[in-house]
Amino acid sequence: QDFVKNFISEKHEKAVIKLSFNEKLSECHSVQYADCSSDHFLRGAFGDILLANSDWSEATSFCLPKSDKDYALVLAALCSRFSYFNTLLVHSSLIVYQGKGIIFTGKSGIGKTTQAELWNKYKGAEIVNGDKAFIREVDGKFFAYGLPWKGSSEYCLNKSAEIAGVVVLEQSETNRINVLENSVERLLPHIFLPHWDKLCLAKALDTFDSLIKNVPLWLLECRPDEEAVRVACEKIFR
């Protein structure tokens, strides 16, 4: 697909996960069946299915995706597999400023892409993705990564950076930023968790626990204006 071309690597390293795509299930005597063995079975909202082996290193999607909106099951498989590598998927916008990543998260429509665009306008920050980002812990440090899927956002870059902070957004008449309290309650709902696999879920929660202990977390109550950028930047990069 066109939207994944910028994420194709020329390196021939060992694959972390092997994904296969079949347009439809096999059929015999009006019976549909999957001609491959599996340990995990996921069904999408529109009847598409995905089968995977025990550790999610191999998965087959019985749906031929035509856009990034058709990849819900693929993302589920990736999040399951990536949990083995201390990686989380967060519903967020991601920018890179002064070589560091800043993640803006919050409920849908709260202004994640708007804040990213304000940082781009007033600080020259690079917008990596307006809807999703991977977070990975590597040797005690946390990094954010862009990915091909961007939702309704137009931003989709193959970039990564060490995380300077994770910012939970709330709309307000005044601009102020404080250390995030109740981080589990406020941040965890925006993390994509693999509830269908107890081992993967436990691994993901371990990574989340390390994230909230080792990465600066902020609550930004804000308006969509330049002052919101200034207030946040002064605190995050003090």
Side-chain angles (χ1 to χ4, degrees):
Q1 302 295 332
D2 289 341
F3 62 90
V4 301
K5 287 182 178 178
N6 292 334
F7 291 80
I8 296 175
S9 174
E10 298 299 326
K11 297 180 181 179
H12 298 283
E13 299 176 351
K14 183 179 179 180
V16 169
I17 181 172
K18 179 182 178 181
L19 290 169
S20 303
F21 297 91
N22 288 333
E23 189 170 3
K24 60 182 180 180
L25 290 165
S26 300
E27 185 173 326
C28 181
H29 304 303
S30 300
V31 175
Q32 289 186 328
Y33 65 95
D35 51 358
C36 60
S37 60
S38 67
D39 295 285
H40 298 289
F41 171 90
L42 297 181
R43 182 184 295 278
F46 300 103
D48 48 320
I49 67 171
L50 181 140
L51 305 178
N53 65 349
S54 60
D55 65 357
W56 299 90
S57 60
E58 295 186 10
T60 301
S61 171
F62 290 90
C63 172
L64 191 60
K66 297 178 174 60
S67 73
D68 68 344
K69 296 179 181 179
D70 299 326
Y71 276 82
L73 291 181
V74 172
L75 279 172
L78 289 175
C79 288
S80 301
R81 178 58 178 165
F82 288 176
S83 68
Y84 285 80
F85 300 90
N86 308 317
T87 301
L88 302 169
L89 175 63
V90 58
H91 182 211
S92 66
S93 62
L94 168 62
I95 65 171
V96 174
Y97 176 67
Q98 294 184 351
K100 298 292 186 179
I102 304 174
I103 286 177
F104 296 103
T105 189
K107 62 183 181 181
S108 295
I110 200 68
K112 297 181 289 294
T113 301
T114 297
Q115 287 299 317
E117 290 173 337
L118 288 169
W119 276 72
N120 173 261
K121 179 178 180 180
Y122 295 113
K123 292 292 185 180
E126 188 172 34
I127 304 175
V128 178
N129 197 297
D131 188 65
K132 298 178 180 70
F134 279 122
I135 295 176
R136 185 184 182 196
E137 184 177 15
V138 182
D139 297 329
K141 296 181 179 180
F142 279 85
F143 296 83
Y145 300 80
L147 61 159
W149 302 281
K150 55 187 175 59
S152 60
S153 165
E154 63 182 280
Y155 306 103
C156 183
L157 297 179
N158 186 4
K159 298 276 186 176
S160 64
E162 186 176 353
I163 299 174
V166 175
V167 181
V168 176
L169 297 175
E170 284 190 2
Q171 295 175 352
S172 175
E173 294 299 318
T174 58
N175 294 308
R176 55 182 175 267
I177 185 170
N178 293 290
V179 173
L180 182 68
E181 303 290 344
N182 301 320
S183 55
V184 173
E185 177 183 344
R186 289 181 175 271
L187 181 56
L188 191 59
H190 310 301
I191 304 294
F192 193 94
L193 293 175
H195 288 279
W196 43 83
D197 186 307
K198 290 182 179 180
L199 177 59
C200 292
L201 177 60
K203 290 179 179 293
L205 290 174
D206 285 343
T207 301
F208 177 79
D209 184 62
S210 183
L211 173 73
I212 62 177
K213 290 177 179 177
N214 294 289
V215 173
L217 307 177
W218 306 98
L219 174 65
L220 176 61
E221 301 168 276
C222 60
R223 303 187 302 266
D225 58 19
E226 183 179 6
E227 186 190 41
V229 177
R230 178 183 60 78
V231 167
C233 187
E234 288 177 356
K235 184 70 72 170
I236 296 171
F237 291 93
R238 60 185 176 182

